[in-house]
Amino acid sequence: MTSVRGSVSPAPDAPSVGQLFARAPVPMWVYDPETLRFLEVNGEAVRRYGYAREEFLAMTIADIRPREDVPRLLEDVASAREGGPRAGTWRHRLRDGSVVDVEVSSVDVEWGGRTARLVAAVDVREREEARRERARSERERAEAELIWATIFELARWGIAEFDAAGRILRVNPAFAAMHGARPEDLVGRLQLDLYAPEAREHVRAEIAEALRTGHRVFEALRARVDGSTFPALMDLTSVRDERGREVKRLVGVLDVSEQRRAWDRLAFLAETGRLLSSGDGPEETLAAVARAAVPAVADWCTVELTDPDGGRRTVAVVAADPDT
């Protein structure tokens, strides 16, 4: 490293050099380049090296070096007086006897009316640990992104990402298929466009609640691109940045048509059992069963009775669409 000499005029409200020195998050000290004695140390040097301030001030910078490194230190100090480069990496000995590798940077300063040298020492272990931690975080993030990409493409649930305005950013194949479209055809559409018109007021309220709480699960009638509808379960999450601003919305969609039909069949069977045990006459009971069957398990139902003489008569005719 190169010796630098000079002075800086701080802004009126800027902290003093002494304040910056004391608050520095890395070990720092000032030493006399003639005697090599410590003139001052900051709190971080005391904490990390283990020597009390008074101990430091009774020592030289050679005292914190392994004995075999002292000749190199003296050569470096001499070259610094001549304006030569200074080596960046050194071994320092802590009070407990352990030796650590540190990255040293220094600058010439005026201290107490004399020329001195200000030193900052960064533990290489911590720098390497920080580098490894960053690498680990990046690796975990890449793995998480790969896992999410796999889930996104292969999930049986429909998954869509929306921007904060509610426009589709991307959808997975399952989402596109359940809406009768290709994924690229849905990009840019508003999320409300894919709900049945009669469900949109309810959906607006659910979205508002998701934005307030961050997450919401609800049911609503969705609309395919051809206008047909299907019941679905939605899992809506509002994704926010560290400042709390919404950056996107993530929704999972499960088509519950089959589950709804199964439930309707179970409800029909239960209602049929109740009607058959009601004690009403056979014609009234059969007509009630026909009404229960539509639209739970059928679009239309006709009930006819055969008389003892072989004749047939209609007891009930029920249709989901009266014009059918």
Side-chain angles (χ1 to χ4, degrees), residues 32-49:
D32 185 332
E34 298 298 330
T35 66
L36 304 187
R37 287 193 171 277
F38 287 100
L39 300 177
E40 189 56 271
V41 296
N42 71 352
E44 198 64 17
V46 170
R47 187 181 73 82
R48 299 203 185 192
Y49 280 68

Side-chain angles (χ1 to χ4, degrees), residues 56-83:
F56 265 118
L57 299 185
M59 298 162 58
T60 72
I61 61 172
D63 293 328
I64 64 169
R65 315 293 174 117
R67 183 175 301 175
E68 59 272 24
D69 290 357
V70 172
R72 177 187 165 210
L73 169 67
L74 298 178
E75 291 176 4
D76 182 73
V77 171
S79 68
R81 292 195 189 102
E82 299 170 0

